[in-house]
Structure formats: structure tokens, C-alpha cells
Amino acid sequence: MDQITIIRPDDWHLHFRDGDMLQETVPATARCFARAIVMPNLVPPVINAELAVDYRRRIEAAIPAGSNFTPLMTIYLTDKTSVEDIRAAKAAGVVAAKMYPAGATTNSDSGVSSLDSLYPVFETLADEGMLLLVHGEVTQKHIDIFDREKEFIDQHLVKIVNKIPHLKVVFEHITTKDAADFVMSAREGVAATITPQHLMLNRNDMLDGGIRPHNYCLPVLKRSTHQEALREVVKSGSSKFFLGTDSAPHAQHRKESSCGCAGCYSAWSAIELYTQVFDELDALDKLEGFASLHGADFYGLPRNTDTITLVRDEWVLPESIMLPSGEPIVPFYAGKQVSWKLKA
Ligand code: DOR
Ligand code: ZN
């Protein structure tokens, strides 16, 4: 097969950032995705309806003319989030709330430190038909960073999923066999997103032969057995798994630093790289479900109706892209060859 046409995909996990960065990030995503779930970890974070509505306006102002792209907004849960905040967010069209354990990742300092006190908020999310999106890593410093996802399942996720049976939960950017197995056997209403980097790479790609900061993201890449497990679940075609790039731009100097930021800016190549993975797995027939159907169905949103076409055609990602601020950024997979291309 040298060409594949699928219903236009959506990105169910994305970081646009803010300000002039939107001039770069919004067109890069709108080039192929119809919708994106926009992460709220700005500085300061998007913690309520009013901030989400303002942020949506700033994103909309950066959508290229002629594009039908729609941002889907989320709010950031803190220890102070109230039931009223959730109801107001619902009324403003916000579709989900994102739970970052405090300190788990980029701009998560205002995240949740006492998960147990948020149960009334989780109940309200379920009652309002909103989703809970979870960054699933514990933050206890004595727990090995490679074990933090599994620990989060055992310490928190099992309880959330069981205690609130009508809550839809998305376990974001899963990285382990433990997470894949958990989601696969979980009750209805539990799903996961998977990034291109966690399907394509393992921790050797970050650490062997030198530290490669542009492959560093959180949750951190794991050993190859986990990568293989993620590849197996997408190949299975299970509707519990769908596309979420976690495209997360940081300027080059913020990544190539003595304390580099986590995040891979994959918007320039994500759909092509997912296609390459499904092709390698001999599962191109499963790409459309993963990229374009399962997420919309899980969120209870209509499927897109138009299509995109990818062709087997080699191209090389740029080594660097200039941000509107004048700072360079290194895209994910920079300088590497990709074997599928989005047809214009
Ligand atoms: O690698 C990551 N980057 N993981 C996250 O959870 C956040 C993201 C970011 O905002 O940069
Ligand atoms: Zn993210």
C-alpha cells in the first residue's frame, strides 16, 4: 500500500503554549488535525472557565484562514478547584479537566497535592459529562522515575476508576505495559492516549551513545519491552487507545541545557510518524480507528467527515525551526527521514 486515506484525525492531547508561540503551534497542528484537546499547563495555569475562554480566543486568532480547526478546552485541577468551577467550565464549553500531580512535569507546580480531597470534583465531572484527564505519575522522590507510572496506577488510578464508576478517565500518554494492561482490562469509560515517541523509541534512544535531550519527555521513555507492549495494543485495534501527540514545544536552549525541559515538539511530523509505525506493524488498517475514530467516540463527539491522505514518500524533518520570538526550536525527529507524507 503506497497511499492511505483516513477520516481527518484529531489530537486528543496537545500543548499549544501561549503568546506569539501560537503563530507557530496552531498552524502546525491545524495542517492535519480537525480538533485538539488543549492542555492547560500555561504559566499561570488555566484553572477556570474564564481563563479557558480567553485562551480559546487567543488560539482561535492564530488559526490559519480557511482552516476549520477547533480547539477543545480543558481546565487544570488544583487543590482549590471547586464543584462550582467545574459547573462553570461545563457551561463555558470546556470538555475536560486535567489532573497533574503537583511537581510531576512541566508547569505542574500548582497541580494536585491531595488527591483524596478532589473526589467531589471528580463526581461533578462525571455528573456534568466531562472527562478526567490524568497525568499518571506519582511524585514521591524515593520512587524510581521509571516506576512512577505503575505506582500511580496502584496508588491512585484503581481507586478513582472504581469509586466513580460513571467518570470517563483518559490515562494520558501511557508509557508502560502496566498501563496498557490496566486500560485494556479496565471498566468501560477508561481509555488512554499514546504519543508517537513512546511508540517509536525506548530509553536507549535517549541515553545510549550520549544524552539526547530532544527525546526527553515525561513520562520518560521506558525499556523496550514497554515500547513493544504499546505497539501491540495499537496493533490490536482496541478502541480504548487513541492518538494524543503530547506535542510540547520548548525552545532549543531550554532543552539543550544542564537541566533540560521535558517535551517533544512533534506537531510537524506526528501523523506521518504514527502512519510509519502502523505500517511497520503491518497494521495500516488500524490507523484510522486510532487516529480518527476512537477518540471522538470516547469523548462523545461527532466523528469528522472529511479525509486526509498520506502517501509513501520520503522526506527529512528540518534540523531546526525558527519560533516567532526569533528563538530556534528543534522539532521531534529533526534531521531524520520519514517514510510517509501528508498529501497537500
Ligand atoms: O514531556 C512533557 N512535556 N510531559 C508533560 O507532561 C508536559 C509537557 C510540557 O508541557 O512540556
Ligand atoms: Zn502533555
Side-chain angles (χ1 to χ4, degrees):
M1 198 151 61
D2 287 330
Q3 176 160 320
I4 179 168
T5 296
I6 59 171
I7 290 179
R8 184 175 295 280
D10 303 299
D11 186 348
W12 300 99
H13 184 125
L14 176 71
H15 300 266
F16 272 142
R17 312 301 188 206
D18 205 354
D20 59 7
M21 183 85 109
L22 296 174
Q23 300 302 324
E24 160 59 34
T25 55
V26 176
T29 285
R31 81 190 171 93
C32 65
F33 294 110
R35 297 169 286 198
I37 288 283
V38 179
M39 288 296 130
N41 61 333
L42 304 182
V43 189
V46 179
I47 55 169
N48 59 36
E50 194 186 343
L51 292 171
V53 168
D54 286 350
Y55 185 31
R56 178 165 54 207
R57 283 202 197 99
R58 297 196 295 280
I59 294 166
E60 283 169 351
I63 298 174
S67 164
N68 291 322
F69 177 77
T70 306
L72 301 171
M73 306 311 290
T74 64
I75 58 164
Y76 181 115
L77 297 179
T78 74
D79 290 333
K80 298 205 178 94
T81 305
S82 67
V83 160
E84 291 72 37
D85 289 330
I86 300 300
R87 295 201 184 109
K90 171 72 181 187
V94 171
V95 299
K98 178 71 189 280
M99 205 273 295
Y100 291 100
T105 187
T106 310
N107 305 336
S108 64
D109 296 349
S110 324
V112 176
S113 53
S114 143
L115 227 153
D116 285 343
S117 55
L118 270 187
Y119 273 80
V121 163
F122 297 157
E123 285 278 357
T124 308
L125 286 171
D127 293 345
E128 295 288 339
M130 294 171 70
L131 290 83
L132 175 66
L133 315 182
V134 175
H135 183 107
E137 286 189 288
V138 296
T139 55
Q140 293 136 301
K141 296 295 174 203
H142 67 280
I143 299 193
D144 191 278
I145 193 164
F146 293 102
D147 298 333
R148 288 181 185 180
E149 186 171 273
K150 178 178 170 15
E151 278 292 323
F152 185 87
I153 300 170
D154 299 343
Q155 289 187 32
H156 303 295
L157 198 52
V158 168
K159 194 167 145 197
I160 296 171
V161 162
N162 288 339
K163 274 190 116 174
I164 310 182
H166 59 307
L167 178 62
K168 283 191 196 175
V169 179
V170 183
F171 194 174
E172 299 289 346
H173 42 52
I174 61 166
T175 64
T176 56
K177 179 173 191 315
D178 310 275
D181 290 347
F182 170 78
V183 171
M184 194 62 113
S185 60
R187 65 159 169 82
E188 203 182 313
V190 178
T193 53
I194 308 184
T195 74
Q197 65 267 26
H198 292 104
L199 291 169
M200 299 180 70
L201 308 178
N202 60 64
R203 62 196 191 182
N204 279 7
D205 297 296
M206 181 177 61
L207 295 171
D208 185 23
I211 291 182
R212 291 163 210 283
H214 300 290
N215 291 344
Y216 172 61
C217 65
L218 287 170
V220 72
L221 295 170
K222 305 296 192 299
R223 64 166 64 239
S224 65
T225 46
H226 293 294
Q227 179 196 359
E228 284 309 316
L230 300 180
R231 291 170 73 97
E232 281 305 309
V233 290
V234 301
K235 185 179 165 85
S236 80
S238 164
S239 62
K240 288 169 163 271
F241 301 89
F242 45 84
L243 185 158
T245 64
D246 199 17
S247 182
H250 294 277
Q252 184 168 4
H253 70 96
R254 303 287 306 276
K255 301 261 318 156
E256 297 175 14
S257 146
S258 61
C259 184
C261 294
C264 302
Y265 182 44
S266 61
W268 276 55
S269 60
I271 193 63
E272 293 86 348
L273 293 176
Y274 281 118
T275 307
Q276 187 167 312
V277 168
F278 279 77
D279 187 19
E280 286 162 10
L281 293 170
D282 200 16
L284 279 174
D285 60 320
K286 302 290 186 348
L287 176 67
E288 184 178 60
F290 178 80
S292 316
L293 308 180
H294 302 164
D297 294 352
F298 189 81
Y299 271 77
L301 293 169
R303 292 176 173 186
N304 298 319
T305 49
D306 64 335
T307 60
I308 62 164
T309 297
L310 291 129
V311 291
R312 196 185 292 281
D313 191 4
E314 282 172 356
W315 61 288
V316 174
L317 265 132
E319 295 283 357
S320 156
I321 296 159
M322 201 53 82
L323 291 172
S325 63
E327 295 171 306
I329 182 169
V330 177
F332 180 63
Y333 228 55
K336 297 211 174 68
Q337 194 165 297
V338 184
S339 51
W340 287 84
K341 197 171 189 182
L342 184 69
K343 200 168 165 180

